[in-house]
Amino acid sequence: MKLRDRIGLGDRQQRIAAQAMQYGLFGMIAVGFYEGSVGVMVNAGVGFVITYVPALLERDYDINLDPALVLWITLAVFLHGFGTVGLPGAEAHPYRSIWWWDHMTHTFSASLVAGAGYVTVRALDEHTDAVRFPPRFTFVFILLFTMSFGVFWEVIEFAIALIAQATGAPSVLTQYGLEDTMKDLLFDTLGGIVVGLWGTAYLTGLTETLTERLGPGSE
């Protein structure tokens, strides 16, 4: 089953939604520039660049992503970027004013990391008979891969916060403390579990495409 069948939107509708969020990210960059917010500009800017990765993969590596996957990627970075923008009438941006926003974005982002790990492992498994990854191993690998990336990300947040504090510069990423870090890792794990359980159903097409790009397999 393809992702678009599950979402219930046609390819054209999904592309329009993804493009709309791209424009939204560009608008966030403009808002950040107008307000002099480095954090908004950096987070929205990085997200805006990431939205063009699918087009880059198609152009340079002939890897065509399902429109639903493109929408998934775009939605993840859009939600993160939007979470750093102050809303009219709100006391703070969504990351601070909405308690579940950080949990949601971490789950979305972790699912992207887990999806990349899943597709890579499955492509290697199908590419050659020299290696074999049983389903249980694949599931555990996805969880460990996602959690490891989550820990790496938390370390980056902590380091950026320390550097900003030491230099007096504005921090582009915010570290809210140990309790928040543990919750982030918990929701990172949730994203990995979701992909581990349903990756086969919705990422098979991308796995087959990557397998073909690897070339002839070996015995």
Side-chain angles (χ1 to χ4, degrees), residues 24 31 47 59 82 97 125 145 147 165 167 174 176 179 192 196 217:
V31 170
R59 186 193 67 186
F82 187 76
S97 61
D125 185 29
F145 179 75
M147 292 177 66
Q165 184 178 5
T167 60
T174 305
Y176 295 104
E179 181 180 354

Side-chain angles (χ1 to χ4, degrees), residues 1-11 14 66 68 201-202:
M1 180 184 294
K2 293 186 177 181
L3 274 176
R4 65 168 176 266
D5 298 327
R6 185 67 175 178
I7 294 175
L9 296 176
D11 288 352
Q14 292 173 45
D66 188 289
Y202 301 113

Side-chain angles (χ1 to χ4, degrees), residues 20-144:
M21 284 187 283
Q22 280 184 315
Y23 295 142
L25 284 166
F26 186 80
M28 293 176 207
I29 298 173
V31 170
F33 181 79
Y34 176 77
E35 296 182 346
S37 174
V38 176
V40 172
M41 286 189 290
V42 171
N43 284 283
V46 171
F48 184 74
V49 171
I50 291 176
T51 62
Y52 283 95
V53 170
L56 181 66
L57 292 175
E58 180 178 358
R59 186 193 67 186
D60 294 349
Y61 301 99
D62 197 27
I63 297 178
N64 296 315
L65 298 187
D66 188 289
L69 287 175
V70 176
L71 181 61
W72 178 21
I73 294 170
T74 307
L75 179 60
V77 296
F78 176 84
L79 291 174
H80 172 67
F82 187 76
T84 65
V85 180
L87 301 177
E91 296 181 359
H93 54 69
Y95 270 121
R96 288 186 179 273
S97 61
I98 303 177
W99 67 268
W100 46 263
W101 193 273
D102 189 41
H103 306 328
M104 176 184 64
T105 56
H106 267 274
T107 303
F108 262 97
S109 300
S111 68
L112 293 181
V113 174
Y118 173 86
V119 170
T120 301
V121 169
R122 291 294 301 140
L124 290 174
D125 185 29
E126 296 181 10
H127 175 65
T128 174
D129 294 332
V131 294
R132 180 176 179 273
F133 301 119
R136 289 185 178 179
F137 172 84
T138 302
F139 182 80
V140 173
F141 171 81
I142 290 171
L143 287 184
L144 293 178

